[in-house]
Amino acid sequence: QVQLVESGGGVVQPGRSLRLSCAASGFSFSNYAIHWARQAPGKGLEWVAVISHDGSYKHNADSVKGRVAISRDNAKNTVYLQMNSLRPEDTAIYYCARDLVSSGGFYFDYWGQGILVTISS
Amino acid sequence: DIQMTQSPSILSASVGDRVSITCRASHDLNNYLAWYQHKPGKAPKLLIYKASTLETGVPSRFSGSGSGTEFTLTISSLQPDDFATYFCQQYNTYWTFGQGTTVDIK
């Protein structure tokens, strides 16, 4: 069955960097776009970034522009979210999710369970 | 940016009740609206896409309606497994989510 498993979260000091991973299984990974979304404590979900099936298209939310980079390794069935210059407001549960299509432009048909990232000194 | 306003934020109901949740968009979504169910510690689950199309395997007590900027998720007869948080998502222009509605036991 389709599985997405996030890892790499934890407690990080403000200003530092963190790389999250999303390991996929149960489907032909290289055929699908993948997204990252996050949910801060007490807030609604916020879309963060998307990468197309082959990595040729990437797009970030304005709230993280310049601080976040999404990438993927289709040989490892993994998508990464590199987050730099972390701020307390980046504290959230981060989810990866599969887009319905390869280019990324539809809804998310599968999600991971999420990983907690806490930015605190 | 498209803003999504979801209401209510909390809905208290009993097993067997008919419940409805609304999402309003700041722009016409061309029906590119999805609904999800989310339980604590679990992966969100897709229920409905294109405003009213039921995802395979989702019970028929769930339905979606609406068009343009106003959309509704209805559960016709609430079951014990349905107590959860529900949120909408627009995918007409990038992606934006509603704030979520927690359905809890009355």
Side-chain angles (χ1 to χ4, degrees):
Chain A
Q1 72 279 23
V2 173
Q3 274 202 306
L4 297 166
V5 179
E6 303 91 343
S7 63
V11 180
V12 178
Q13 291 180 328
R16 304 294 293 262
S17 297
L18 193 67
R19 188 178 81 161
L20 302 181
S21 299
C22 171
S25 60
F27 64 101
S28 184
F29 179 73
S30 61
N31 287 346
Y32 292 89
I34 301 291
H35 298 261
W36 285 95
R38 67 185 181 182
Q39 185 166 28
K43 300 284 186 67
L45 276 158
E46 177 190 22
W47 173 75
V48 174
V50 62
I51 186 165
S52 63
H53 68 110
D54 60 358
S56 61
Y57 171 72
K58 303 173 187 180
H59 189 69
N60 298 341
D62 287 344
S63 61
V64 298
K65 203 159 288 266
R67 300 190 299 120
V68 158
I70 190 170
S71 62
R72 66 189 296 157
D73 184 340
N74 284 348
K76 294 184 177 179
N77 285 5
T78 301
V79 169
Y80 304 99
L81 188 72
Q82 177 70 41
M83 301 189 293
N84 303 319
S85 302
L86 284 161
R87 305 166 179 171
E89 55 264 37
D90 293 318
T91 294
I93 298 173
Y94 284 74
Y95 299 90
C96 62
R98 190 182 84 167
D99 195 287
L100 181 71
V101 300
S102 61
S103 58
F106 280 79
Y107 52 89
F108 306 170
D109 58 355
Y110 289 94
W111 297 63
Q113 293 187 334
I115 190 80
L116 179 62
V117 171
T118 302
I119 310 305
S120 173
S121 53
Chain B
D1 289 9
I2 297 180
Q3 310 302 320
M4 301 297 295
T5 303
Q6 185 173 340
S7 61
S9 55
I10 300 173
L11 195 162
S12 297
S14 302
V15 172
D17 284 353
R18 179 183 180 89
V19 301
S20 293
I21 298 166
T22 298
C23 264
R24 289 187 175 86
S26 59
H27 296 77
D28 190 320
L29 297 184
N30 298 301
N31 286 359
Y32 290 129
L33 190 284
W35 290 96
Y36 301 86
Q37 178 191 66
H38 192 198
K39 296 181 179 179
K42 300 286 186 93
K45 176 186 175 183
L46 175 67
L47 300 175
I48 286 165
Y49 59 92
K50 205 64 173 19
S52 60
T53 303
L54 201 65
E55 172 71 345
T56 303
V58 174
S60 59
R61 61 181 180 272
F62 291 92
S63 65
S65 62
S67 63
T69 62
E70 187 155 337
F71 301 89
T72 300
L73 171 70
T74 299
I75 309 172
S76 60
S77 178
L78 200 64
Q79 299 302 299
D81 190 49
D82 301 337
F83 291 99
T85 296
Y86 296 84
F87 60 91
C88 59
Q89 175 203 39
Q90 70 81 17
Y91 53 100
N92 182 72
T93 306
Y94 298 115
W95 301 269
T96 319
F97 299 93
Q99 288 293 98
T101 297
T102 298
V103 178
D104 64 13
I105 300 173
K106 194 174 191 178

